[in-house]
Amino acid sequence: METLGKGSQIREVEEAIARTRQWLLSQQHAEGYWVAELEGDSILQSETILLLAFLDHNDSELIPRLARRLLETQLADGGWAMYPGGGVEISASVKAYFALKLAGHDTDSEPMVRARRAILAHGGADAVNSYTRFFLALLGQIPYSCCPAVPPEIVLLPRWFPVNLYAVSSWSRTIIVPLSIVSALQPVRQLEPERGIRELFLKDPRDWPPLRSPGTRKASEGCPEARGSEAPAADSPSRQARPPAPREPLLGWTRFFRVVDQALKWYQRSPWRPTRRRALRAAEQWMLARFERSDGLGAIFPPIVFSLAALRAMGYPDDGPEVQYCLRQLHDLVLEDADSGSARVQPCKSPVWDTAITVRALAAVEADFDEPTMQRAVEWLLDQQITRPGDWCENVNAEPGGWCFEFHNDFYPDADDTAMVLMALAEAFRVGGAARPANPKTEELLTRAAAAIDRGMNWLVAMQNDDGGWGAFDRNNDRQFLCHVPFADHNAMIDPSTPDLTARVLEALGRLGRRLGDAVVDRAVAYLREAQEPDGAWFGRWGVNYIYGTWQSLVGLTAVGVPREDPAVQAGARWLLAHQQPCGAWGESPDTYEQPQRRGQGPATPSQTAWAVMGLLAAGLSEHPAVARAVQWLVDQQRMNGTWNEPEFTGTGFPCVFYLRYHSYPIYFPLMALGLWKQSQAVAETAKQSAARAVAEPSESGPARPAVEVW
């Protein structure tokens, strides 16, 4: 692909910007926010059907629509994957098969025969993870003794105890509490034998292999789930099957927690359980308290599901306010496809995230802040700031001031959204410079924004971990031994520092004027230097994957004053350049979490191409041919309505376990990249003119020093 002349390319970029800008403006809600679909995999549909069956809501009109979506996403070889292009994932496939059977699909039908064959070839129901086992226990397919013990007594443990509720990640916490109620009360909805899935069992459930925790293998070494086995080839259909368990050492955390699990199960069977009633009451109150000002417990799908199971186990009536609240939050996540008649479930909603990035993208293309569109967006973001304490207060002494991801999730603001909103506010008001005409509304928002930025920045700085980085929701949530508990096979028991999130906070600090020499900045930069991979890339925890982490790290480092000729910046930029595809784009598959040797490889996508462009711009390569080619690819791939097509999943929920497709990513990220590239061309042109004048009129100090050439 050949790029056009610079002038022609700039004109094409301007036209592309105008189309996307107009499309985004048309999508803004009246209240001022943007929110696009957040798509997950088949487990959202399957688990909803399984939950409705447990609640005895078998006549729900939602079930056949969700089942139709399951059939739409079934793989050709019969199973279900975690993302487009992925292989069979056994837990998802077992749940999908079970859900389809409960929805009335004949086991002799072609899709069910195909699914059953794939499941049995990948280890059968025997190989599912702990989370799936609980669904099977709820519906009477296996005894609760086959599930890990999750005792409600964890709510009673003091903070100084090594294992306590606030030592695990916030998302695990919101799952553990309702799940502990289920684990203790062990409710079962008995099904007729013909509605069960015994045909998927290779062995009796009591003979199933023990659950394997992921342990503490470094992300750079691949997914913890793959440890102990050689990674299959990238095109192997079984690369997501559970590998053979490695031999466990006689001493170690995994064996220790297995012993603890057996002791807890003995306590569960014992007629003398002096702490159980108090623990159940504490767990119930903890859960109910966090329904307040939240789109469901934790504002995410898994805790909502198990909140409903826990409420049913405790005897709450279906028409009671607590159950109705949870059902309402669950149904609010459902999206229906009028054309196909299918329905799908979102894992949560992303209005704060989408709105903040959209504001930043519009600011990058010089949207006028005095426009009502921008003012409504900024005002909505200001209204979303959380000024009440949350779970984070258990380990941090600071005034509230963060933002969450969803509409309402007051107990769980996060560093990522807070950093993104702070940058959105700063960049929105910076548009137009001091000459921008002021009006009373603008002045009011300026005053509010200044106070919000100050409060948000103080909260964000207080959340810095001792290692210099940032996690998402908590401070110093990094007790690695907790990754060995049997329930930890969802690969997310803790919330430690990550390069991508640390770099985003650094970017926010830089946008707000903090530079090298600031103690907070210096510690974060040191963390990023330590986290850089030998080949120059950075791992991406919350986006796929090394392209995401490398982009954000380059932007974060340079934003606080790390020179572009710094070896870390040069190495990161070289890694991006080395992984550009012949078409000019970038792409990376989620399978790089399992097979890090494939980093930087995958189908070309608009969002990942935009990330790479912005990383290279941050590294000072606005004039590099690779950037021009990538910009041209984005222009050429744009649809006439200003959007881009991207069926791939480029967002990460839990590495190796759950991935996301943000439907807005291939819209506002390319817009932001094109806007920043256009700005860089204006800066480059100004620099050239200044250089030409300097040559024509040399200064007394002699000729200007040439720029350092590092490529």
Side-chain angles (χ1 to χ4, degrees):
M1 180 190 68
E2 296 183 1
T3 57
L4 303 174
K6 184 59 66 66
S8 297
Q9 189 173 31
I10 290 175
R11 285 193 297 274
E12 283 201 347
V13 167
E14 289 173 341
E15 292 169 359
I17 285 172
R19 285 190 290 268
T20 304
R21 183 176 181 275
Q22 185 58 43
W23 188 90
L24 277 174
L25 294 179
S26 72
Q27 299 300 306
Q28 187 181 32
H29 289 254
E31 296 88 343
Y33 65 85
W34 283 267
V35 62
E37 179 178 350
L38 184 59
E39 182 181 347
D41 64 41
S42 65
I43 66 171
L44 298 161
Q45 288 70 248
S46 301
E47 291 177 3
T48 301
I49 293 175
L50 298 179
L51 172 70
L52 292 173
F54 169 73
L55 297 176
D56 201 24
H57 294 182
N58 297 302
D59 57 348
S60 170
E61 61 180 16
L62 188 57
I63 290 176
R65 291 205 274 267
L66 294 172
R68 187 167 299 166
R69 176 65 174 177
L70 287 175
L71 292 175
E72 291 171 356
T73 55
Q74 186 178 19
L75 299 176
D77 61 2
W80 282 261
M82 291 185 285
Y83 53 88
V88 173
E89 203 287 311
I90 187 62
S91 295
S93 299
V94 169
K95 283 183 282 195
Y97 179 94
F98 197 4
L100 288 171
K101 193 169 183 181
L102 291 174
H105 286 260
D106 191 336
T107 56
D108 291 330
S109 64
E110 189 274 336
M112 296 292 279
V113 170
R114 198 158 29 100
R116 188 163 60 250
R117 185 182 302 121
I119 290 167
L120 293 174
H122 286 77
D126 313 39
V128 299
N129 58 26
S130 66
Y131 195 64
T132 303
R133 288 194 187 190
F134 277 106
F135 279 97
L136 300 184
L138 282 168
L139 292 167
Q141 301 306 292
I142 63 173
Y144 276 93
S145 60
C146 295
C147 303
V150 185
E153 281 79 6
I154 192 173
V155 182
L156 304 178
L157 295 175
R159 278 171 39 201
W160 55 261
F161 194 70
V163 179
N164 70 79
L165 190 59
Y166 297 97
V168 301
S169 61
S170 63
W171 53 84
S172 293
R173 194 180 311 145
T174 57
I175 296 171
I176 284 171
V177 173
L179 189 56
S180 74
I181 296 172
V182 171
S183 180
L185 299 179
Q186 300 189 352
V188 176
R189 169 70 60 186
Q190 292 293 348
L191 302 176
E192 300 84 353
E194 61 272 16
R195 299 182 70 203
I197 55 168
R198 188 73 186 187
E199 64 270 23
L200 300 184
F201 295 3
L202 298 180
K203 296 180 180 179
D204 184 274
R206 291 174 177 81
D207 296 325
W208 283 3
L211 292 164
R212 295 188 301 110
S213 58
T216 57
R217 188 173 184 180
K218 292 180 180 179
S220 61
E221 298 171 353
C223 231
E225 282 83 346
R227 69 185 306 175
S229 65
E230 193 69 26
D235 58 354
S236 169
S238 63
R239 69 181 184 275
Q240 292 174 15
R242 183 183 294 272
R247 177 177 295 180
E248 293 179 6
L250 292 177
L251 297 176
W253 284 115
T254 298
R255 189 170 293 276
F256 169 78
F257 281 116
R258 288 199 197 283
V259 173
V260 171
D261 185 66
Q262 292 303 312
L264 290 171
K265 287 175 178 175
W266 174 85
Y267 186 70
Q268 172 71 26
R269 297 189 300 269
S270 172
W272 187 73
R273 292 175 293 177
T275 61
R276 184 52 50 93
R277 181 175 297 181
R278 178 179 166 222
L280 281 170
R281 181 63 177 167
E284 177 186 8
Q285 292 304 312
W286 191 96
M287 179 180 70
L288 294 176
R290 282 157 182 76
F291 286 177
E292 183 183 353
R293 286 286 299 169
S294 177
D295 300 332
L297 180 58
I300 53 177
F301 175 84
I304 294 173
V305 167
F306 276 102
S307 293
L308 281 163
L311 291 171
R312 170 57 64 90
M314 290 185 292
Y316 280 77
D318 275 5
D319 58 357
E322 298 85 0
V323 172
Q324 287 299 306
Y325 159 82
C326 291
L327 286 172
R328 185 169 61 253
Q329 302 304 334
L330 177 62
H331 283 280
D332 280 349
L333 296 175
V334 175
L335 295 173
E336 306 215 12
D337 189 324
D339 294 332
S340 68
S342 65
R344 56 200 182 278
V345 183
Q346 300 178 95
C348 61
K349 295 182 181 179
S350 55
V352 173
W353 186 246
D354 285 342
T355 302
I357 303 176
T358 300
V359 168
R360 293 192 66 200
L362 291 173
V365 298
E366 301 179 358
D368 186 353
F369 177 75
D370 288 321
E371 291 179 359
T373 294
M374 290 288 278
Q375 292 194 343
R376 287 200 310 272
V378 166
E379 187 168 21
W380 185 85
L381 285 172
L382 291 172
D383 290 342
Q384 298 303 117
Q385 189 172 32
I386 297 170
T387 57
R388 58 177 288 180
D391 279 11
W392 55 271
C393 288
E394 297 293 330
N395 296 306
V396 178
N397 182 20
E399 289 295 317
W403 278 263
C404 68
F405 184 76
E406 305 86 356
F407 284 106
H408 304 104
N409 194 10
D410 280 11
F411 281 89
Y412 302 105
D414 67 273
D416 213 0
D417 283 275
T418 300
M420 195 65 84
V421 172
L422 290 175
M423 288 188 283
L425 295 176
E427 291 166 12
F429 282 108
R430 196 174 293 127
V431 171
R436 173 170 43 79
N439 58 53
K441 182 67 173 179
T442 300
E443 293 302 323
E444 174 197 345
L445 290 176
L446 276 168
T447 301
R448 288 186 61 194
I453 288 172
D454 185 59
R455 187 165 189 159
M457 181 59 70
N458 289 338
W459 181 83
L460 195 57
V461 168
M463 296 293 287
Q464 186 176 30
N465 292 329
D466 288 345
D467 64 7
W470 275 264
F473 294 90
D474 289 292
R475 183 174 182 273
N476 292 337
N477 193 276
D478 55 5
R479 300 182 185 180
Q480 292 282 354
F481 70 91
L482 293 174
C483 296
H484 290 272
V485 302
F487 177 70
D489 61 2
H490 67 308
N491 196 29
M493 280 296 285
I494 56 176
D495 182 12
S497 298
T498 64
D500 49 334
L501 216 164
T502 300
R504 181 158 292 126
V505 175
L506 265 184
E507 183 187 5
L509 292 172
R511 296 285 183 264
L512 293 166
R514 301 178 77 155
R515 294 290 186 272
L516 290 174
D518 180 302
V520 171
V521 169
D522 289 350
R523 290 171 55 224
V525 169
Y527 167 83
L528 279 182
R529 291 189 186 280
E530 180 68 23
Q532 190 172 26
E533 303 284 337
D535 62 1
W538 279 272
F539 177 75
R541 162 64 180 85
W542 296 98
V544 179
N545 173 353
Y546 293 93
I547 294 175
Y548 185 86
T550 304
W551 150 59
Q552 189 57 68
S553 294
L554 290 173
V555 172
L557 288 171
T558 55
V560 294
V562 174
R564 289 168 170 173
E565 60 268 23
D566 184 275
V569 174
Q570 292 186 36
R574 280 196 296 269
W575 185 87
L576 285 175
L577 291 171
H579 289 83
Q580 186 177 31
Q581 298 183 10
C583 65
W586 280 263
E588 187 172 8
S589 168
D591 65 12
T592 58
Y593 287 102
E594 295 176 274
Q595 302 174 68
Q597 70 274 15
R598 283 179 46 78
R599 66 183 67 186
Q601 300 177 45
T605 69
S607 63
Q608 291 168 322
T609 300
W611 298 340
V613 167
M614 291 188 285
L616 293 174
L617 291 176
L621 301 185
S622 62
E623 298 298 292
H624 197 287
V627 174
R629 290 171 55 230
V631 166
Q632 192 62 46
W633 185 87
L634 286 173
V635 169
D636 292 342
Q637 294 297 314
Q638 188 188 44
R639 296 187 288 201
M640 289 305 298
N641 66 353
T643 66
W644 283 263
N645 180 48
E646 185 174 283
E648 293 81 11
F649 283 33
T650 63
T652 307
F654 306 122
C656 307
V657 176
F658 186 69
Y659 300 101
L660 298 163
R661 178 189 173 199
Y662 290 80
H663 284 221
S664 51
Y665 271 19
I667 301 166
Y668 48 53
F669 279 126
L671 177 64
M672 188 185 299
L674 293 177
L676 293 175
W677 178 82
K678 182 172 176 288
Q679 289 180 28
S680 75
Q681 298 309 298
V683 170
E685 182 61 29
T686 301
K688 288 178 183 177
Q689 293 175 2
S690 298
R693 286 195 298 270
V695 170
E697 303 174 7
S699 66
E700 294 182 1
S701 60
R705 179 183 176 186
V708 176
E709 182 63 49
V710 297
W711 306 108

